Amino acid sequence: MSKMISKPLVLTYFYLFIYILLSSGVILYNKWVLSPKYFNFPLPITLTMIHMGFSGLVAFLLVRVFKVVAPVKMTFEIYATCVIPISAFFASSLWFGNTAYLHISVAFIQMLKALMPVATFIMAVLCGTDKPRCDVFSNMVLVSVGVVISSYGEIHFNVVGTVYQVMGIFAEALRLVLTQVLLQKKGLTLNPITSLYYIAPCSFVFLSVPWLLLEKSSMEVSQIQFNFWIFFSNALCALALNFSIFLVIGRTGAVTIRVAGVLKDWILIALSTVIFPESMITRLNIIGYAIALCGVVMYNYIKVKDVRASQLPSESIPERISKDWKLEKKSSDIFIPNNSGSASDIDVDEETPLTQSTRLSHIGRSQVGNHGA
C-alpha cells in the first residue's frame, strides 16, 4: 500500500489542494471586502496597496533580516529598465482587476479571464516573442466567441466593470511578456520572495499616484471602517498564495497545473453563486464559458506539445507520448529556468507578482528525473 501511494505524491496533491483553496479564497475574500453589500470597503487601490506593503515588508524581513534567501545581483540599469516597467503594469493589472469587483460578479470575472491567453498571445506577437499561427489564431477566435456569448448571457452586465477587467487582463498580459523579454533575456531569475522584495515596493509607489487622485479624498474615518484583523488576514492569504503557487510549480508538470487551474475556475464560479447570491449565472453564461474553455484547453495543448516537441526532436511520436505520460505522473521535477517557454502559456491568479514568470520557466524547462523527497 505504501508503494502504491508514495509520500511525495500525497504531498503534491496536498499542495494542489492548498493552491486551489488559497486562489479561490483570495478572490472571494477580496470581493467580500470590497463589496458595498458586505464589508463595504469600496477602495480597491487602498486594498491593493495594503497587500503590496505587507508583501514587501515580509519579503524584506526574509531577505535582509532572517536571510532565508539571498538577494540577486540587481544593478540600477536592471532595476530601471526591467523592475520599474514590470511593476507599473503589475500595479495596473491589480488596480483594474480589483476595481472590477465593485461592478461585476466573481463568476463573470472568471469567465472574462478566459481571455487571458488571447491577450497574452496578442502582446507576445506585438513584442516579437511569438509568431502568428493559424491553429493558435483559430483557438483565440473560439475563446473570444465564447466570452462574447457568456457576456451576452450575463444578467447584471456592467460596461464599467467589464472594461476594467479587460484592461486588467491586457495589463497583466503585457507584464508577462515584459517579464520574458526584459528579465529572462538578462538571465535574471526571481523566486517568489525576491520578486516580492523588488516588485512590491515599486508597485506600492506606482499605486500611490492613482490613490492620491481617486481615493485619498474618500478616506474618511466616519464612512470607511477599518478592521486590522480583516486586512491582515486578507493580505496574509494573498502572500500565502504566492508561496503555494511556487510549491505547486516545483512539484508538478505543466499539464497538471493547467488542469488544476481549470478545476479552480469551475469551483470558484460555483462557490461564488453560493456565497454571493446576487451573482447569478445563466445557461448562456455556462455555454459561452464552456466554449471559451475548449479554446483555452486546445491552446494549452498546442503550446505544451510544441515545447515538448522542441525538447525531444529525435524521438518518435509514440515514444514521446509515452515519456510525457510517465513524466507527468512523477511527483516532482528539478527546477531549471530557461528561456524556451512562452509567456502566453500562463493562467493568471491574483496577487502573484512574478510567480507567473516562474511558471513560465517551468513550462519551458527540460523535463528531468524525479527527485522527490
Side-chain angles (χ1 to χ4, degrees), residues 105 107-108 111 149-156 266 269 273 279-290:
S105 67
F108 186 48
M111 294 175 190
I149 293 174
S150 181
S151 301
Y152 184 77
E154 177 64 16
I155 295 176
H156 305 293
W266 282 109
I269 290 173
T273 58
S279 112
M280 299 174 60
I281 55 176
T282 65
R283 184 177 299 177
L284 208 54
N285 280 146
I286 297 174
I287 292 173
Y289 184 61

Side-chain angles (χ1 to χ4, degrees), residues 112-134:
L112 288 175
K113 283 182 182 178
L115 285 172
M116 190 64 209
V118 179
T120 315
F121 179 68
I122 292 172
M123 293 301 177
V125 170
L126 292 177
C127 293
T129 61
D130 211 338
K131 297 179 180 179
R133 292 171 46 179
C134 291

Side-chain angles (χ1 to χ4, degrees), residues 318-370:
E319 290 173 338
R320 192 176 303 156
I321 293 173
S322 176
K323 189 171 182 178
D324 286 346
W325 171 252
K326 290 178 182 177
L327 285 169
E328 191 61 41
K329 294 288 285 183
K330 290 178 180 290
S331 62
S332 64
D333 299 314
I334 294 178
F335 180 71
I336 306 176
N338 60 33
N339 298 330
S340 59
S342 168
S344 52
D345 294 337
I346 313 302
D347 176 34
V348 180
D349 292 293
E350 279 58 32
E351 309 299 343
T352 51
L354 283 180
T355 43
Q356 284 86 18
S357 66
T358 308
R359 189 184 308 180
L360 168 65
S361 300
H362 172 81
I363 293 168
R365 77 185 194 280
S366 301
Q367 297 281 346
V368 291
N370 184 359

Side-chain angles (χ1 to χ4, degrees), residues 132-165:
R133 292 171 46 179
C134 291
D135 54 351
V136 175
F137 180 75
S138 62
N139 288 332
M140 299 300 97
V141 171
L142 185 62
V143 171
S144 302
V145 169
V147 171
V148 169
I149 293 174
S150 181
S151 301
Y152 184 77
E154 177 64 16
I155 295 176
H156 305 293
F157 182 81
N158 183 285
V159 176
V160 175
T162 303
V163 170
Y164 266 116
Q165 183 58 44

Side-chain angles (χ1 to χ4, degrees), residues 53-220:
F54 180 78
S55 297
L57 176 61
V58 172
F60 176 81
L61 293 174
L62 293 176
V63 173
R64 293 296 182 183
V65 179
F66 300 108
K67 301 187 184 302
V68 175
V69 295
V72 300
K73 294 181 179 179
M74 180 68 68
T75 64
F76 177 78
E77 181 209 356
I78 293 177
Y79 194 87
T81 60
C82 299
V83 174
I84 289 179
I86 289 171
S87 299
F89 285 105
F90 175 60
S92 300
S93 68
L94 292 181
W95 167 23
F96 297 146
N98 281 337
T99 303
Y101 288 121
L102 297 176
H103 306 281
I104 54 181
S105 67
V106 171
F108 186 48
I109 286 174
Q110 291 306 116
M111 294 175 190
L112 288 175
K113 283 182 182 178
L115 285 172
M116 190 64 209
V118 179
T120 315
F121 179 68
I122 292 172
M123 293 301 177
V125 170
L126 292 177
C127 293
T129 61
D130 211 338
K131 297 179 180 179
R133 292 171 46 179
C134 291
D135 54 351
V136 175
F137 180 75
S138 62
N139 288 332
M140 299 300 97
V141 171
L142 185 62
V143 171
S144 302
V145 169
V147 171
V148 169
I149 293 174
S150 181
S151 301
Y152 184 77
E154 177 64 16
I155 295 176
H156 305 293
F157 182 81
N158 183 285
V159 176
V160 175
T162 303
V163 170
Y164 266 116
Q165 183 58 44
V166 173
M167 287 171 60
I169 289 170
F170 274 89
E172 179 65 13
L174 186 54
R175 183 191 68 81
L176 290 171
V177 176
L178 286 177
T179 299
Q180 182 183 20
V181 172
L182 299 178
L183 284 185
Q184 292 190 345
K185 285 190 176 180
K186 291 183 181 291
L188 187 65
T189 302
L190 302 177
N191 61 42
I193 298 176
T194 52
S195 67
L196 286 172
Y197 176 72
Y198 293 108
I199 298 290
C202 194
S203 296
F204 184 92
V205 173
F206 275 109
L207 288 166
S208 66
V209 177
W211 178 80
L212 287 171
L213 297 173
L214 301 175
E215 293 188 0
K216 185 177 182 297
S217 59
S218 302
M219 293 286 291
E220 298 178 7

